[in-house]
Amino acid sequence: MSDRHVESKFEGPKFRIISWPAVAVALVIIAGGTAALMVWLLGIAGADPGRRLDAVKTAFTVGLAAGGTLALLLAARRQWLQERERIHAELVAADTADRAERVAAATERDATERRMTELYVKASDQLGSEKAAVRLAGLFALERLGQNNPGQRKVVVKVITSYLRMPLPRARVGEKSDDGPAPETADSVEMIQEVEVRKAAQQIIADHLGSDRVEDARWQEIDFIDLSGAHLFDFSLSDCHVGSLQVNGAVFEGETLFRNFHCTRMFAASTVFKGFADFRGAVFEGHAWISWAKFEGGAMFNSDDFFAGSQFKNFVSFQHTRFAEQTNFSGAIFSAGVNFSGAEFDGDRRTIGLGDAVVEDPDARSPEVGSAPSIWPEGWTLKSRSDGSVHLIQKRIRAGRNRNSGPPESAGELP
């Protein structure tokens, strides 16, 4: 704030400083006026001594009154100037304090930016370390940075997910040869350590997306997770909420848990689930693209005594997806279009549970090109029940028919 800006705070006309010559002139005028008044009054009084004395008293009284008035005006002006000086000093002090606060805020902001930059650089260096313990320290430093700085949380998650998308070391734990299990080499130890680092990174993401987390721990800013092509181990997003999850081409090893998972969109094209995958209680508000995927260890989308069935509120595609035995959709809810074209099931009707899947809109159409109607797995059909609900049931297959020898021959419907 400049002095000119400070002066603009004062309202009213600007007073000029009265010089001492001006005061002297005013006193001369008062004295001259008093003398002239006295002469005029003496002329009126004539030769009467009493009247002449009154004339003198009157003239001096008027002169003194004029002088007193001038003195009061000067005193009032001096007081006004003192008030202006006090106000000006207060404004200058406030302006100085404001400038100091702005400088301090800018300095603190610069220091914070430098500190965050240093933390990012240090954490990035740690993530690139050959030592697993150092990489873990880098992950936890990033987590602390995101927890203390909400504006940096998206960047922190991007850094962590980028790390998870990095390729694994070429060595594989537990590789076997003709002579038995591979020895515990330095490469295999490195792999074991890298798996633990990745599990820690996965846990950091899950810890801050959970719906049961306290307000300070849940990172509301995170609405997109990209793990495309990542190699994940015992991955879990159970009880987590996220806007969009992208795991195209990812490989999930071990147990994969999406229990009570909520998301708006899921993209899992060409994803491989090598272990068991659990989607019980999951809710997909938007499209779910799980095409060309492989569930090699079985998958649970069903309802039971502990969880509700998976609910697909919008279009879902399992096109050309391969399901292993122990896949179960019983109790799952399909609210919109479904595409199972080209889907393969390795099990039979005793190990594949598609029956009792609820179809809320049998006439729903796909948003894909052509707006095709829903396509269900080969050998399955829809049936309405007495309560008005529509369920997916398997057609009866004639005994002695090999499921891999050709299309099944329908001979009615299973009860």
Side-chain angles (χ1 to χ4, degrees), residues 368-379:
E368 295 176 309
V369 177
S371 298
S374 294
I375 301 175
W376 302 102
E378 186 178 0

Side-chain angles (χ1 to χ4, degrees), residues 196-218:
E196 293 304 316
V197 173
R198 293 192 174 226
K199 286 183 179 179
Q202 295 168 188
Q203 190 61 48
I204 289 174
I205 295 174
D207 283 345
H208 296 289
L209 294 179
S211 59
D212 58 345
R213 302 295 187 270
V214 296
E215 191 68 22
D216 291 340
R218 174 164 165 71

